[in-house]
Amino acid sequence: MSAGSLNTLELGYLRPVAKWLRCFEDLGNVVVVCLLFTLPLLEIILRNLFHLPGLYGSEQYSGHLLFILALSAGLYTQRQHMHLGLSIINIHLPFGWQRVLSSVKLFWATVILLMIGISSWVFLESFVGEEMIGVIPLRLILYLFPLSIGLFILRLMLGTSPVVSEEAPLPRWLRVLLVIAGIALAWYLSQISILHYYMNDINLSFEEQEKLFVREDLLFSGFAKIGYWLIGFTLLLFLLGFPIFLTLAGVSYVLFNLNFGQVELIPNAFYTLFTGEGNLNSLPLFALAGFILSEGNSSKRLVDFFQHLCRNLPGGIGIVVIVTSTFFTVVTGASGITILALGGLLYSIMQKAGYSKGFSIGLLTTCGSVGLLFPPSLPIIIYGTKVGVSIKSLFLAGLLPGLLITFVLCVLVVWQARKQSRKPVIADQSSRALLHKGWVAAGELLLPLFIFLAYFYFKVTAREISALTVCYALILNLVIHRDYGLRRLPTIFRNLFMTMGGILLVIGFARSYSDHFVFFNFHGFLQNYITNHIESSFGFLFLVNVVLLLAGCFLDIFSAIYILAPLISSLGEIFMIPAEQLGIIFLFNLELGYITPPVGLSLFLASYRFRVPLLKIYRYVVPFFLISLVLVLLVTYVPWLSTWLPSLFP
């Protein structure tokens, strides 16, 4: 057990209870992931072997399991003190000021958590029916939201927390007082949400309803006076290391109140993100496949093969890193998983080859998402299915842009290689050695073909592809190569929980932030603005670049496809933009969004993997971001890059 876990609760008589609670949480996480893995496999077996329609409600079950995993893994990440935050100046503050800052962050974290907890309770009470998820009442699952918030607050009060500086720990009595004060302020700020709960009571008389409406107006006017100050205060704390998921939750809460929206929409957005239409439930399984492959020697086999393949090229090690990362992203179908799975090995290789730390991390963070433009890219498949565009045409349209960014990155590493003199030593450079390395890595090299055939021949869904990829990775590492045994699986699960706990909470509350614009008809405003003020296709495409770049910062690529793709596609028809070109523009922009500060998903994953503060990740990635931005604009305004190949193979 880690030192962070041992310090979770300092009260000695509570440690046995805390230990059992941690074991229960860990077991629950394992069960949830195993069910997420098993359900799609049952779907495949029932459909292909027994010719049955499948397991009724399987996707609904998976969505609710992912909702549970987001909350339970978030608690695991809290125990490990690994929730992401941006730290600029707080680490340079004197000890006394660090204690003050820790106190303020602990207090404000309690305020935000309790406000979200109260809104989740109101959201829960809006479910008046007896809807069931399998044999489990939906309300029972939804109770996990306020329960998880309660555990977050309890751990803030009784133990060290990720919002408190480890260099300036707070005494227990002070933590208790700060949490109590935070609860009091949160209760006051949540009166609007609580009022909504009482206003839903149909038994209220007309006079009572009038009194509640008057009180609501007073609360809204009072909140309007301090709302923007609260947003500014939250963003200031964000710059001083406040967790990102709490920043997004707090800003979302204030924005909804300022715009007379119901804050219950925040937990509703969190819930619907994981349980609604989409393929986000494939993300933990692809991540699991990546961890299984990286825990063994799969990444080493791939690197050995590509290193022999590029042995005579200048800057060959950098090219190996780019090709391997791109290939692995194609294999897993999810951007960012490559950073987690291969980041450590590839970073070590680049360091040995003489590349600087900043260049290495920047390159690895960037090229982790390049494979999204190559077949059998999962986002391309989902986009084509969603908007009704030929997937084959999209595959062809993505080839040249994908090759272009790969070529530019290769030129960059070759140029950078002139500053270092160390070359990789390859004892046997013969073609026979290359064939041998290819044979050894055949399992990994054939994985994209396996995914391609699974989708197009067996007609499996994205969720089922992710489960099959886990099966493939397990067989490859446990049976064929025997890289490790079953005893290594707990380590893989722990890495998965820690990563998913941080990422899923950020994605969930980022969705509530973006839903603020959806709720206030940003779609309609955008459509009206485009149709009334933009006359040329160039102006439309520029606006698309801006909107998608911002969306890529706050939405995972699957949610962005389901939310924005139909709107962008329909508007593209007005300006006669080829469907294939618009699809690649859409995906290329979102790919760039993954490395766009401050909340690009790949930036978080890189911070996790390389144990580097986010601020340094931003600095390392900026040159690659600017290069990618130029390439995005080039693909946007030079149509033949994405339309030429589809025109050759209609």
Side-chain angles (χ1 to χ4, degrees), residues 349-428:
I349 291 174
M350 293 195 72
Q351 289 287 281
K352 292 177 181 177
Y355 290 96
S356 67
K357 176 180 179 180
F359 183 85
S360 302
I361 293 178
L363 179 67
L364 290 169
T365 305
T366 302
C367 61
S369 57
V370 173
L372 294 177
L373 295 175
F374 292 104
S377 166
L378 187 61
I380 286 182
I381 293 171
I382 297 171
Y383 179 91
T385 304
K386 183 65 179 177
V387 302
V389 181
S390 167
I391 294 174
K392 184 190 80 170
S393 297
L394 287 173
F395 280 160
L396 292 171
L399 283 176
L400 284 182
L403 291 172
L404 175 63
I405 187 173
T406 303
F407 174 76
V408 170
L409 290 176
C410 287
V411 171
L412 187 62
V413 298
V414 170
W415 174 78
Q416 187 72 13
R418 296 183 307 171
K419 301 180 181 180
Q420 53 87 23
S421 58
R422 281 169 285 182
K423 305 291 183 181
V425 178
I426 300 177
D428 189 351

Side-chain angles (χ1 to χ4, degrees), residues 540-619:
F540 167 71
L541 289 175
F542 177 78
L543 188 60
V544 167
N545 286 141
V546 173
V547 170
L548 291 178
L549 190 60
L550 292 174
C553 294
F554 296 102
L555 293 174
D556 65 282
I557 196 166
F558 303 121
S559 297
I561 289 172
Y562 279 93
I563 294 172
L564 294 175
L567 173 64
I568 300 295
S569 177
S570 61
L571 291 173
E573 294 176 359
I574 298 176
F575 292 95
M576 302 182 68
I577 308 295
E580 296 85 0
Q581 179 194 1
L582 193 60
I584 298 306
I585 292 172
F586 189 98
L587 296 172
F588 206 168
N589 271 275
L590 292 177
E591 179 183 301
L592 180 61
Y594 274 126
I595 60 170
T596 301
V599 289
L601 180 60
S602 290
L603 303 175
F604 300 157
L605 295 172
S607 180
Y608 269 123
R609 187 62 185 88
F610 301 117
R611 299 291 191 271
V612 173
L614 269 173
L615 185 62
K616 288 188 176 181
I617 297 291
Y618 295 163
R619 189 167 70 245

Side-chain angles (χ1 to χ4, degrees), residues 409-461:
L409 290 176
C410 287
V411 171
L412 187 62
V413 298
V414 170
W415 174 78
Q416 187 72 13
R418 296 183 307 171
K419 301 180 181 180
Q420 53 87 23
S421 58
R422 281 169 285 182
K423 305 291 183 181
V425 178
I426 300 177
D428 189 351
Q429 300 190 15
S430 65
S431 299
R432 182 177 180 180
L434 175 63
L435 291 174
H436 173 71
K437 295 295 182 181
W439 172 255
V440 172
E444 288 78 11
L445 294 172
L446 291 175
L447 186 48
L449 178 62
F450 170 78
I451 295 172
F452 189 86
L453 292 176
Y455 184 82
F456 288 101
Y457 183 74
F458 292 105
K459 306 295 182 183
V460 297
T461 65

